[in-house]
Coordinates of all heavy atoms in Angstrom, one line a residue:
M1 N -9.1 11.9 2.7 CA -8.5 10.6 2.7 C -7.0 10.7 3.0 O -6.3 11.5 2.4 CB -8.8 9.8 1.4 CG -8.4 8.4 1.4 SD -8.7 7.5 -0.1 CE -10.3 6.8 0.3
R2 N -6.5 9.9 3.9 CA -5.0 10.0 4.2 C -4.2 9.4 3.1 O -4.7 8.5 2.4 CB -4.8 9.3 5.5 CG -5.5 9.9 6.7 CD -5.3 9.2 8.0 NE -5.6 7.7 7.7 CZ -5.3 6.8 8.6 NH1 -4.8 7.1 9.8 NH2 -5.6 5.5 8.3
P3 N -2.9 9.8 3.0 CA -2.0 9.2 2.0 C -1.9 7.7 2.1 O -1.9 7.0 1.1 CB -0.7 9.9 2.2 CG -1.0 11.2 3.0 CD -2.2 10.9 3.7
R4 N -1.9 7.2 3.3 CA -1.8 5.7 3.5 C -3.0 5.0 3.0 O -2.9 3.9 2.4 CB -1.6 5.4 5.0 CG -1.3 4.0 5.3 CD 0.1 3.6 4.9 NE 0.4 2.3 5.4 CZ 1.5 1.7 5.0 NH1 2.4 2.2 4.3 NH2 1.7 0.5 5.5
D5 N -4.2 5.7 3.1 CA -5.4 5.1 2.6 C -5.4 5.1 1.1 O -5.8 4.1 0.5 CB -6.6 5.9 3.0 CG -6.9 5.8 4.5 OD1 -6.4 4.8 5.2 OD2 -7.6 6.7 5.1
N6 N -4.8 6.1 0.5 CA -4.7 6.1 -1.0 C -3.8 5.0 -1.5 O -4.0 4.3 -2.5 CB -4.1 7.5 -1.5 CG -5.1 8.6 -1.4 OD1 -6.3 8.3 -1.4 ND2 -4.7 9.8 -1.3
Q7 N -2.7 4.8 -0.7 CA -1.7 3.7 -1.1 C -2.4 2.3 -0.9 O -2.2 1.5 -1.8 CB -0.5 3.8 -0.2 CG 0.4 5.0 -0.6 CD 1.6 5.1 0.4 OE1 1.5 4.6 1.5 NE2 2.6 5.8 -0.1
T8 N -3.2 2.2 0.2 CA -3.8 0.9 0.4 C -4.9 0.7 -0.7 O -5.0 -0.4 -1.2 CB -4.6 0.9 1.7 OG1 -3.6 1.2 2.8 CG2 -5.2 -0.4 2.0
Q9 N -5.6 1.7 -1.1 CA -6.6 1.5 -2.2 C -5.8 1.2 -3.5 O -6.3 0.4 -4.3 CB -7.4 2.8 -2.4 CG -8.5 2.7 -3.4 CD -9.4 1.5 -3.2 OE1 -9.9 1.4 -2.0 NE2 -9.7 0.7 -4.2
A10 N -4.7 1.9 -3.8 CA -4.0 1.6 -5.0 C -3.5 0.1 -5.0 O -3.6 -0.5 -6.0 CB -2.7 2.5 -5.1
A11 N -3.1 -0.4 -3.8 CA -2.6 -1.8 -3.7 C -3.8 -2.7 -4.0 O -3.7 -3.7 -4.7 CB -2.0 -2.1 -2.4
K12 N -5.0 -2.4 -3.5 CA -6.2 -3.2 -3.7 C -6.5 -3.2 -5.2 O -6.9 -4.2 -5.8 CB -7.4 -2.7 -2.9 CG -7.2 -3.0 -1.4 CD -8.4 -2.4 -0.6 CE -8.2 -2.7 0.8 NZ -9.3 -2.0 1.6
D13 N -6.4 -2.0 -5.8 CA -6.7 -1.9 -7.3 C -5.7 -2.8 -8.1 O -6.1 -3.4 -9.1 CB -6.6 -0.5 -7.8 CG -7.7 0.4 -7.2 OD1 -8.7 -0.2 -6.7 OD2 -7.6 1.6 -7.2
V14 N -4.4 -2.8 -7.7 CA -3.5 -3.6 -8.4 C -3.8 -5.1 -8.2 O -3.7 -5.9 -9.2 CB -2.0 -3.3 -7.9 CG1 -1.0 -4.3 -8.5 CG2 -1.6 -1.9 -8.3
I15 N -4.1 -5.5 -7.0 CA -4.5 -6.9 -6.8 C -5.7 -7.2 -7.6 O -5.8 -8.3 -8.2 CB -4.7 -7.1 -5.2 CG1 -3.4 -7.0 -4.5 CG2 -5.4 -8.4 -5.0 CD1 -3.5 -6.9 -3.0
A16 N -6.7 -6.3 -7.7 CA -7.9 -6.6 -8.5 C -7.5 -6.8 -10.0 O -8.0 -7.6 -10.7 CB -8.9 -5.5 -8.4
S17 N -6.5 -6.0 -10.4 CA -6.0 -6.1 -11.8 C -5.4 -7.5 -12.0 O -5.6 -8.1 -13.1 CB -5.0 -5.0 -12.1 OG -5.6 -3.7 -12.1
Y18 N -4.6 -7.9 -11.0 CA -4.0 -9.2 -11.2 C -5.0 -10.3 -11.2 O -4.9 -11.3 -11.9 CB -3.0 -9.5 -10.0 CG -1.6 -8.8 -10.3 CD1 -1.2 -7.8 -9.6 CD2 -0.9 -9.3 -11.4 CE1 0.1 -7.2 -9.9 CE2 0.4 -8.7 -11.7 CZ 0.8 -7.6 -10.9 OH 2.0 -7.1 -11.2
D19 N -6.1 -10.2 -10.4 CA -7.2 -11.2 -10.4 C -7.8 -11.2 -11.8 O -8.1 -12.3 -12.3 CB -8.2 -10.8 -9.3 CG -7.7 -11.1 -7.9 OD1 -6.7 -11.8 -7.7 OD2 -8.3 -10.5 -7.0
T20 N -8.1 -10.1 -12.4 CA -8.6 -10.0 -13.7 C -7.7 -10.6 -14.7 O -8.1 -11.4 -15.6 CB -8.9 -8.5 -14.1 OG1 -9.8 -8.0 -13.1 CG2 -9.5 -8.4 -15.5
L21 N -6.4 -10.3 -14.6 CA -5.4 -10.9 -15.5 C -5.4 -12.4 -15.3 O -5.3 -13.2 -16.3 CB -4.0 -10.3 -15.2 CG -2.9 -10.8 -16.1 CD1 -3.2 -10.5 -17.5 CD2 -1.6 -10.2 -15.6
E22 N -5.5 -12.9 -14.1 CA -5.5 -14.4 -13.9 C -6.7 -15.0 -14.6 O -6.6 -16.1 -15.2 CB -5.5 -14.6 -12.4 CG -5.5 -16.1 -12.0 CD -5.6 -16.4 -10.5 OE1 -5.9 -15.4 -9.8 OE2 -5.5 -17.5 -10.2
K23 N -7.9 -14.4 -14.5 CA -9.1 -14.9 -15.1 C -8.9 -15.0 -16.6 O -9.3 -15.9 -17.3 CB -10.3 -14.1 -14.7 CG -10.7 -14.4 -13.3 CD -11.9 -13.5 -12.9 CE -12.1 -13.6 -11.4 NZ -13.1 -12.6 -11.0
L24 N -8.3 -13.9 -17.2 CA -8.1 -13.8 -18.6 C -7.1 -14.9 -19.1 O -7.4 -15.6 -20.1 CB -7.5 -12.4 -19.0 CG -7.1 -12.3 -20.5 CD1 -8.3 -12.4 -21.4 CD2 -6.4 -10.9 -20.6
L25 N -6.1 -15.1 -18.4 CA -5.1 -16.1 -18.7 C -5.7 -17.5 -18.6 O -5.4 -18.4 -19.4 CB -3.8 -16.0 -17.9 CG -3.0 -14.7 -18.2 CD1 -1.8 -14.7 -17.2 CD2 -2.5 -14.7 -19.6
E26 N -6.6 -17.7 -17.6 CA -7.3 -19.0 -17.5 C -8.2 -19.2 -18.7 O -8.2 -20.4 -19.2 CB -8.1 -19.0 -16.2 CG -8.7 -20.3 -15.9 CD -9.5 -20.3 -14.5 OE1 -10.1 -19.2 -14.2 OE2 -9.4 -21.3 -13.8
R27 N -8.9 -18.2 -19.1 CA -9.7 -18.4 -20.3 C -8.9 -18.7 -21.6 O -9.3 -19.5 -22.4 CB -10.5 -17.1 -20.6 CG -11.5 -16.7 -19.5 CD -12.6 -17.6 -19.4 NE -13.3 -17.8 -20.6 CZ -14.6 -17.6 -20.8 NH1 -15.3 -17.2 -19.7 NH2 -15.2 -17.7 -21.9
I28 N -7.7 -18.1 -21.7 CA -6.8 -18.4 -22.8 C -6.4 -19.9 -22.7 O -6.3 -20.6 -23.7 CB -5.6 -17.4 -22.8 CG1 -6.1 -16.0 -23.2 CG2 -4.5 -17.9 -23.8 CD1 -5.0 -15.0 -23.1
H29 N -6.1 -20.3 -21.5 CA -5.7 -21.7 -21.3 C -6.8 -22.6 -21.8 O -6.5 -23.6 -22.5 CB -5.4 -21.9 -19.8 CG -5.1 -23.3 -19.4 ND1 -4.0 -24.0 -19.7 CD2 -5.9 -24.2 -18.8 CE1 -4.1 -25.3 -19.3 NE2 -5.3 -25.4 -18.7
F30 N -8.0 -22.4 -21.4 CA -9.1 -23.2 -21.8 C -9.3 -23.2 -23.3 O -9.5 -24.3 -24.0 CB -10.4 -22.8 -21.2 CG -10.5 -23.0 -19.7 CD1 -11.2 -22.1 -18.9 CD2 -9.9 -24.1 -19.1 CE1 -11.2 -22.3 -17.5 CE2 -9.9 -24.3 -17.7 CZ -10.6 -23.4 -16.9
F31 N -9.1 -22.1 -23.9 CA -9.2 -22.0 -25.4 C -8.1 -22.8 -26.0 O -8.4 -23.6 -27.0 CB -9.1 -20.5 -25.9 CG -8.9 -20.4 -27.3 CD1 -9.9 -20.6 -28.2 CD2 -7.6 -20.1 -27.9 CE1 -9.7 -20.5 -29.6 CE2 -7.4 -20.0 -29.2 CZ -8.5 -20.2 -30.1
L32 N -6.9 -22.7 -25.6 CA -5.8 -23.5 -26.1 C -6.0 -25.0 -25.9 O -5.6 -25.8 -26.8 CB -4.4 -23.0 -25.6 CG -4.1 -21.5 -26.0 CD1 -2.8 -21.1 -25.3 CD2 -3.9 -21.4 -27.5
D33 N -6.5 -25.3 -24.8 CA -6.9 -26.8 -24.6 C -7.8 -27.3 -25.6 O -7.7 -28.4 -26.1 CB -7.4 -27.0 -23.2 CG -6.3 -27.2 -22.1 OD1 -5.2 -27.3 -22.5 OD2 -6.7 -27.2 -20.9
R34 N -8.9 -26.5 -25.8 CA -9.9 -26.9 -26.8 C -9.3 -27.0 -28.2 O -9.5 -27.9 -29.0 CB -11.1 -26.0 -26.9 CG -12.0 -26.1 -25.7 CD -13.3 -25.4 -25.9 NE -13.2 -24.0 -26.2 CZ -13.0 -23.0 -25.3 NH1 -13.0 -23.3 -24.0 NH2 -12.9 -21.7 -25.7
L35 N -8.4 -26.0 -28.5 CA -7.7 -26.0 -29.8 C -6.8 -27.2 -30.0 O -6.8 -27.8 -31.0 CB -6.9 -24.7 -29.9 CG -6.1 -24.5 -31.2 CD1 -7.1 -24.5 -32.4 CD2 -5.3 -23.3 -31.2
N36 N -6.2 -27.6 -28.9 CA -5.3 -28.8 -28.9 C -6.2 -30.0 -29.2 O -5.8 -30.9 -30.0 CB -4.6 -28.9 -27.6 CG -3.6 -30.1 -27.6 OD1 -3.0 -30.4 -28.6 ND2 -3.4 -30.7 -26.4
C37 N -7.4 -30.1 -28.6 CA -8.3 -31.3 -28.9 C -8.6 -31.3 -30.4 O -8.6 -32.4 -31.0 CB -9.5 -31.2 -28.1 SG -9.2 -31.5 -26.3
Y38 N -9.0 -30.2 -30.9 CA -9.3 -30.1 -32.4 C -8.2 -30.5 -33.3 O -8.4 -31.2 -34.3 CB -9.8 -28.7 -32.8 CG -11.2 -28.3 -32.2 CD1 -11.4 -27.1 -31.6 CD2 -12.2 -29.2 -32.2 CE1 -12.6 -26.8 -31.0 CE2 -13.5 -28.9 -31.6 CZ -13.6 -27.7 -31.0 OH -14.8 -27.3 -30.5
T39 N -7.0 -30.1 -32.9 CA -5.9 -30.4 -33.8 C -5.5 -31.9 -33.7 O -5.0 -32.5 -34.6 CB -4.6 -29.6 -33.5 OG1 -4.3 -29.8 -32.1 CG2 -4.9 -28.1 -33.8
R40 N -5.8 -32.5 -32.6 CA -5.5 -34.0 -32.4 C -6.4 -34.9 -33.3 O -6.0 -35.9 -33.6 CB -5.6 -34.4 -31.0 CG -4.4 -33.9 -30.2 CD -4.5 -34.4 -28.8 NE -3.3 -33.9 -28.1 CZ -3.0 -34.4 -26.9 NH1 -3.7 -35.3 -26.3 NH2 -1.9 -33.9 -26.3
I41 N -7.6 -34.4 -33.5 CA -8.5 -35.2 -34.4 C -8.4 -34.8 -35.8 O -9.3 -35.3 -36.6 CB -10.0 -35.1 -33.8 CG1 -10.5 -33.7 -33.8 CG2 -10.1 -35.8 -32.5 CD1 -11.9 -33.6 -33.4
N42 N -7.5 -34.0 -36.2 CA -7.2 -33.7 -37.6 C -8.3 -33.1 -38.3 O -8.7 -33.6 -39.4 CB -6.6 -34.9 -38.3 CG -5.3 -35.4 -37.8 OD1 -4.5 -34.6 -37.4 ND2 -5.1 -36.7 -37.8
I43 N -8.9 -32.1 -37.8 CA -10.0 -31.4 -38.5 C -9.3 -30.5 -39.5 O -8.4 -29.8 -39.3 CB -10.8 -30.5 -37.5 CG1 -11.6 -31.4 -36.6 CG2 -11.8 -29.6 -38.3 CD1 -12.5 -30.6 -35.5
R44 N -9.8 -30.6 -40.7 CA -9.3 -29.8 -41.8 C -9.8 -28.3 -41.7 O -11.0 -28.1 -41.5 CB -9.8 -30.3 -43.2 CG -8.9 -31.4 -43.8 CD -8.7 -30.9 -45.2 NE -8.0 -31.8 -46.1 CZ -6.7 -31.9 -46.1 NH1 -6.0 -31.3 -45.2 NH2 -6.1 -32.7 -47.0
L45 N -8.9 -27.4 -41.7 CA -9.3 -26.0 -41.6 C -9.4 -25.4 -43.0 O -8.6 -25.6 -43.8 CB -8.2 -25.2 -40.8 CG -7.9 -25.6 -39.4 CD1 -6.8 -24.7 -38.8 CD2 -9.1 -25.4 -38.5
T46 N -10.5 -24.7 -43.1 CA -10.6 -23.9 -44.4 C -9.7 -22.7 -44.3 O -9.1 -22.4 -43.3 CB -12.1 -23.3 -44.5 OG1 -12.3 -22.4 -43.4 CG2 -13.1 -24.4 -44.4
T47 N -9.5 -22.1 -45.4 CA -8.5 -21.0 -45.5 C -9.0 -19.9 -44.6 O -8.2 -19.3 -43.8 CB -8.5 -20.4 -47.0 OG1 -8.1 -21.5 -47.8 CG2 -7.5 -19.3 -47.1
M48 N -10.3 -19.6 -44.6 CA -10.8 -18.6 -43.7 C -10.6 -18.9 -42.2 O -10.2 -18.0 -41.4 CB -12.3 -18.4 -44.0 CG -12.9 -17.2 -43.2 SD -14.7 -17.0 -43.5 CE -14.6 -16.4 -45.2
M49 N -10.8 -20.2 -41.8 CA -10.6 -20.6 -40.4 C -9.1 -20.5 -40.1 O -8.8 -20.1 -39.0 CB -11.1 -22.0 -40.3 CG -12.6 -22.2 -40.3 SD -13.2 -23.9 -40.3 CE -12.5 -24.5 -38.8
A50 N -8.2 -20.9 -41.0 CA -6.8 -20.8 -40.7 C -6.4 -19.3 -40.5 O -5.6 -19.0 -39.6 CB -6.0 -21.4 -41.8
E51 N -6.9 -18.4 -41.3 CA -6.6 -17.0 -41.2 C -7.1 -16.5 -39.8 O -6.4 -15.7 -39.1 CB -7.2 -16.2 -42.3 CG -6.5 -16.4 -43.6 CD -7.2 -15.6 -44.8 OE1 -8.1 -14.8 -44.5 OE2 -6.8 -15.9 -45.9
L52 N -8.3 -16.8 -39.5 CA -8.9 -16.4 -38.2 C -8.1 -16.9 -37.0 O -7.8 -16.2 -36.1 CB -10.4 -16.8 -38.1 CG -11.1 -16.4 -36.9 CD1 -11.1 -14.9 -36.7 CD2 -12.5 -17.0 -36.9
L53 N -7.7 -18.2 -37.1 CA -6.9 -18.8 -36.1 C -5.6 -18.1 -35.9 O -5.1 -17.9 -34.8 CB -6.7 -20.3 -36.4 CG -6.0 -21.1 -35.3 CD1 -6.6 -21.0 -33.9 CD2 -5.8 -22.5 -35.7
G54 N -5.0 -17.7 -37.1 CA -3.7 -16.9 -37.0 C -3.9 -15.6 -36.3 O -3.0 -15.2 -35.5
K55 N -5.0 -14.9 -36.6 CA -5.3 -13.7 -36.0 C -5.5 -13.8 -34.5 O -5.0 -13.0 -33.7 CB -6.5 -13.0 -36.6 CG -6.2 -12.5 -38.0 CD -7.4 -11.9 -38.6 CE -7.2 -11.4 -40.1 NZ -8.4 -10.9 -40.7
I56 N -6.2 -14.9 -34.1 CA -6.5 -15.1 -32.7 C -5.2 -15.4 -32.0 O -4.9 -14.9 -30.9 CB -7.5 -16.3 -32.5 CG1 -8.9 -15.9 -33.0 CG2 -7.5 -16.8 -31.1 CD1 -9.9 -17.1 -33.1
M57 N -4.3 -16.2 -32.6 CA -3.0 -16.6 -31.9 C -2.1 -15.3 -31.8 O -1.4 -15.2 -30.8 CB -2.3 -17.7 -32.7 CG -3.1 -19.0 -32.7 SD -3.5 -19.6 -31.0 CE -1.9 -19.9 -30.3
A58 N -2.2 -14.4 -32.8 CA -1.4 -13.2 -32.7 C -1.9 -12.4 -31.5 O -1.1 -11.8 -30.8 CB -1.5 -12.4 -34.0
E59 N -3.2 -12.3 -31.3 CA -3.8 -11.6 -30.2 C -3.4 -12.2 -28.9 O -3.1 -11.5 -27.9 CB -5.3 -11.4 -30.3 CG -5.8 -10.6 -31.5 CD -5.3 -9.1 -31.3 OE1 -5.3 -8.6 -30.2 OE2 -4.9 -8.5 -32.4
V60 N -3.4 -13.5 -28.8 CA -3.0 -14.3 -27.6 C -1.6 -13.9 -27.2 O -1.2 -13.6 -26.1 CB -3.2 -15.8 -27.8 CG1 -2.5 -16.5 -26.7 CG2 -4.7 -16.1 -27.8
L61 N -0.7 -13.9 -28.2 CA 0.7 -13.5 -28.0 C 0.8 -12.0 -27.5 O 1.6 -11.8 -26.6 CB 1.5 -13.6 -29.3 CG 1.8 -15.1 -29.7 CD1 2.5 -15.2 -31.0 CD2 2.6 -15.8 -28.6
I62 N 0.0 -11.2 -28.0 CA 0.0 -9.8 -27.6 C -0.4 -9.7 -26.1 O 0.2 -9.0 -25.3 CB -0.9 -8.9 -28.4 CG1 -0.2 -8.7 -29.8 CG2 -1.2 -7.5 -27.8 CD1 -1.1 -8.1 -30.9
I63 N -1.5 -10.4 -25.8 CA -2.0 -10.5 -24.4 C -0.9 -11.0 -23.5 O -0.6 -10.4 -22.4 CB -3.3 -11.3 -24.3 CG1 -4.4 -10.6 -25.0 CG2 -3.6 -11.6 -22.8 CD1 -5.6 -11.5 -25.2
L64 N -0.2 -12.1 -23.8 CA 0.8 -12.6 -23.0 C 2.0 -11.7 -22.9 O 2.6 -11.5 -21.8 CB 1.3 -14.0 -23.6 CG 0.3 -15.1 -23.6 CD1 0.9 -16.3 -24.3 CD2 -0.1 -15.5 -22.2
A65 N 2.3 -10.9 -23.9 CA 3.4 -10.0 -23.8 C 3.0 -8.8 -22.9 O 3.9 -8.4 -22.0 CB 3.7 -9.4 -25.2
L66 N 1.8 -8.3 -23.0 CA 1.4 -7.2 -22.1 C 1.3 -7.7 -20.7 O 1.7 -6.9 -19.7 CB 0.1 -6.7 -22.6 CG 0.1 -5.9 -23.9 CD1 -1.3 -5.6 -24.4 CD2 1.0 -4.7 -23.8
S67 N 0.8 -8.9 -20.4 CA 0.7 -9.4 -19.1 C 2.0 -9.6 -18.5 O 2.3 -9.3 -17.3 CB -0.2 -10.6 -19.0 OG 0.4 -11.7 -19.8
T68 N 3.0 -10.1 -19.3 CA 4.4 -10.3 -18.8 C 5.0 -9.0 -18.4 O 5.6 -8.8 -17.3 CB 5.2 -11.0 -19.8 OG1 4.6 -12.3 -20.1 CG2 6.6 -11.2 -19.4
K69 N 4.8 -8.0 -19.2 CA 5.3 -6.6 -19.0 C 4.7 -6.1 -17.7 O 5.4 -5.4 -16.9 CB 5.0 -5.7 -20.2 CG 5.6 -4.3 -20.0 CD 5.3 -3.5 -21.2 CE 5.8 -2.1 -21.1 NZ 5.5 -1.3 -22.2
A70 N 3.4 -6.3 -17.5 CA 2.8 -5.7 -16.3 C 3.2 -6.4 -15.0 O 3.3 -5.8 -13.9 CB 1.2 -5.9 -16.4
M71 N 3.6 -7.7 -15.1 CA 4.1 -8.4 -13.9 C 5.5 -8.3 -13.6 O 6.0 -8.7 -12.5 CB 3.7 -9.9 -14.1 CG 2.2 -10.1 -14.0 SD 1.8 -11.9 -14.0 CE 2.1 -12.3 -15.7
K72 N 6.3 -7.7 -14.5 CA 7.7 -7.5 -14.2 C 7.9 -6.5 -13.1 O 7.1 -5.7 -12.9 CB 8.5 -7.1 -15.5 CG 8.7 -8.2 -16.5 CD 9.6 -7.8 -17.6 CE 9.9 -8.9 -18.5 NZ 10.8 -8.6 -19.5
P73 N 9.1 -6.5 -12.4 CA 9.3 -5.5 -11.3 C 9.1 -4.1 -11.7 O 8.7 -3.3 -10.9 CB 10.7 -5.8 -10.9 CG 11.0 -7.2 -11.3 CD 10.1 -7.5 -12.6
K74 N 9.3 -3.7 -13.0 CA 9.1 -2.3 -13.4 C 7.6 -2.1 -13.8 O 7.3 -1.0 -14.2 CB 10.0 -2.0 -14.5 CG 11.5 -1.9 -14.1 CD 12.3 -1.5 -15.2 CE 13.8 -1.4 -14.8 NZ 14.7 -1.0 -15.8
G75 N 6.8 -3.1 -13.6 CA 5.4 -2.9 -14.0 C 4.5 -2.4 -12.9 O 5.0 -1.7 -12.0
L76 N 3.3 -2.8 -12.9 CA 2.3 -2.4 -11.9 C 2.7 -2.7 -10.5 O 2.5 -1.9 -9.5 CB 0.9 -3.0 -12.2 CG 0.2 -2.5 -13.4 CD1 -1.0 -3.4 -13.6 CD2 -0.1 -1.1 -13.3
M77 N 3.3 -3.9 -10.3 CA 3.6 -4.3 -8.9 C 4.6 -3.4 -8.2 O 4.3 -3.0 -7.1 CB 4.2 -5.7 -9.0 CG 4.4 -6.4 -7.7 SD 2.8 -6.8 -7.0 CE 3.4 -8.0 -5.8
S78 N 5.6 -3.0 -8.9 CA 6.6 -2.1 -8.3 C 6.1 -0.7 -8.1 O 6.4 0.0 -7.2 CB 7.9 -2.1 -9.0 OG 7.7 -1.5 -10.3
K79 N 5.2 -0.3 -9.0 CA 4.7 1.1 -9.0 C 3.8 1.3 -7.7 O 3.9 2.4 -7.2 CB 3.9 1.4 -10.3 CG 3.5 2.8 -10.4 CD 2.8 3.0 -11.7 CE 2.4 4.5 -11.8 NZ 1.7 4.8 -13.1
W80 N 3.0 0.3 -7.4 CA 2.1 0.5 -6.3 C 2.3 -0.3 -5.0 O 2.3 0.2 -3.9 CB 0.6 0.3 -6.8 CG 0.2 1.2 -7.9 CD1 0.2 0.9 -9.2 CD2 -0.1 2.6 -7.8 NE1 -0.2 2.0 -10.0 CE2 -0.3 3.0 -9.1 CE3 -0.1 3.5 -6.7 CZ2 -0.7 4.4 -9.4 CZ3 -0.5 4.8 -7.0 CH2 -0.7 5.2 -8.3
V81 N 2.5 -1.6 -5.2 CA 2.6 -2.5 -4.1 C 3.9 -2.4 -3.4 O 4.0 -2.3 -2.1 CB 2.2 -3.9 -4.5 CG1 2.3 -4.8 -3.3 CG2 0.8 -3.9 -5.1
Y82 N 5.0 -2.4 -4.1 CA 6.3 -2.4 -3.4 C 6.6 -1.2 -2.5 O 7.0 -1.4 -1.4 CB 7.5 -2.5 -4.5 CG 7.7 -3.9 -5.1 CD1 7.0 -5.0 -4.7 CD2 8.7 -4.0 -6.0 CE1 7.3 -6.2 -5.2 CE2 9.0 -5.3 -6.5 CZ 8.2 -6.4 -6.1 OH 8.5 -7.6 -6.6
P83 N 6.2 0.0 -2.9 CA 6.4 1.1 -2.0 C 5.6 1.0 -0.7 O 6.0 1.5 0.3 CB 6.0 2.3 -2.9 CG 6.2 1.9 -4.3 CD 5.8 0.4 -4.3
I84 N 4.5 0.4 -0.8 CA 3.6 0.3 0.4 C 4.1 -0.7 1.4 O 4.2 -0.5 2.6 CB 2.2 0.0 0.0 CG1 1.6 1.1 -0.9 CG2 1.3 -0.3 1.2 CD1 0.3 0.8 -1.6
Y85 N 4.5 -1.9 0.9 CA 4.8 -3.0 1.7 C 6.3 -3.2 2.0 O 6.7 -3.9 2.9 CB 4.1 -4.3 1.3 CG 2.6 -4.2 1.3 CD1 1.8 -4.0 0.2 CD2 2.0 -4.2 2.6 CE1 0.5 -3.9 0.3 CE2 0.6 -4.1 2.7 CZ -0.2 -3.9 1.5 OH -1.5 -3.8 1.6
F86 N 7.1 -2.7 1.1 CA 8.5 -3.0 1.2 C 9.4 -1.8 1.4 O 10.6 -1.8 1.2 CB 9.0 -3.7 -0.1 CG 8.2 -5.0 -0.2 CD1 7.4 -5.2 -1.3 CD2 8.4 -6.1 0.6 CE1 6.7 -6.4 -1.5 CE2 7.7 -7.3 0.4 CZ 6.9 -7.4 -0.6
S87 N 8.8 -0.6 1.8 CA 9.6 0.6 2.0 C 9.9 0.7 3.5 O 9.4 0.1 4.4 CB 8.8 1.8 1.5 OG 7.6 1.9 2.2

């Protein structure tokens, strides 16, 4: 396999990663929309439900932080795609 083919495959892999990330963020969006609906109708949360919701929201924040880091210029994009298309 030629070096250019390796770079092209790497770019395709990065694009696939971004597609996966987009789907994940979309799922988070749907979850938060449902959560918003539940909070508007004033459902009382048990202590256990409140703790679980806190843990879920902490994980959502971690996912958002990691995805933001991956999309910054020093993340995946610059490592693979920039050298191929912008060099």
